[in-house]
Amino acid sequence: MRAVVLAIGVLAARAASADPVEDAAQVHLDRGVAAFERGDYLGAHAEIEAANKLVPAKANPYRWLALTEVQLGDCARARGNIDAFLERAADADPRRAEMLRLRELCSRTGTLAIRTTPGAAQLRIDNSLVGLAPYRSGSFAV
């Protein structure tokens, strides 16, 4: 009986100290990470951005935003979130190395924009369709 009372007391103390804003941010972040792992990068970005708006002082949402933006081919935005992560993460955080490497890789990318006449031409690389003109991508190595 004493163990049950103790367990209830511990749970009550945790509930009393919980921050509803941080809890909501964690829900969004968890959903975003799950979407990222499924390959739904647009859905992931929306959820992670919602988490980031709730807890802008936390480092982890910036990391996930950067990882997602790289997958979306937007290294320019990713670099800003990488820098925001690095500003907030502790010096001993093991994820810093990952973000430093990603920042280096993103610094080697450029933007490719293709316009054709006539429009809507199929664009192929090594005979694989990459899209229709006009075409824009921000993830090609330069």
Side-chain angles (χ1 to χ4, degrees), residues 11-24:
L11 291 174
R14 283 185 185 164
S17 67
D19 181 344
V21 173
E22 285 195 15
D23 291 346

Side-chain angles (χ1 to χ4, degrees), residues 92-121:
D93 190 320
R95 299 170 299 174
R96 291 180 69 84
E98 170 192 44
M99 289 291 103
L100 289 168
R101 177 71 178 136
L102 195 58
R103 184 171 64 183
E104 170 64 24
L105 291 173
C106 276
S107 71
R108 298 181 194 174
T109 62
T111 300
L112 172 69
I114 301 172
R115 288 180 293 282
T116 63
T117 303

Side-chain angles (χ1 to χ4, degrees), residues 40-90:
D40 176 12
Y41 302 117
L42 288 174
H45 195 272
E47 288 289 349
I48 297 164
E49 200 166 49
N52 182 250
K53 286 179 182 174
L54 290 170
V55 288
K58 299 281 185 180
N60 201 32
Y62 290 102
R63 175 180 171 265
W64 281 103
L65 281 171
L67 292 170
T68 303
E69 288 159 355
V70 167
Q71 292 300 317
L72 291 169
D74 192 351
C75 267
R77 283 181 67 188
R79 283 192 305 260
N81 284 310
I82 291 167
D83 291 341
F85 171 82
L86 293 170
E87 289 171 9
R88 289 162 177 79

Side-chain angles (χ1 to χ4, degrees), residues 22-37:
E22 285 195 15
D23 291 346
Q26 189 63 53
V27 168
H28 284 294
L29 187 62
D30 291 345
R31 287 182 190 155
V33 170
F36 181 93
E37 290 172 349

Side-chain angles (χ1 to χ4, degrees), residues 1-15:
M1 179 67 172
R2 186 173 185 186
V4 172
V5 172
L6 181 60
I8 291 172
V10 168
L11 291 174
R14 283 185 185 164

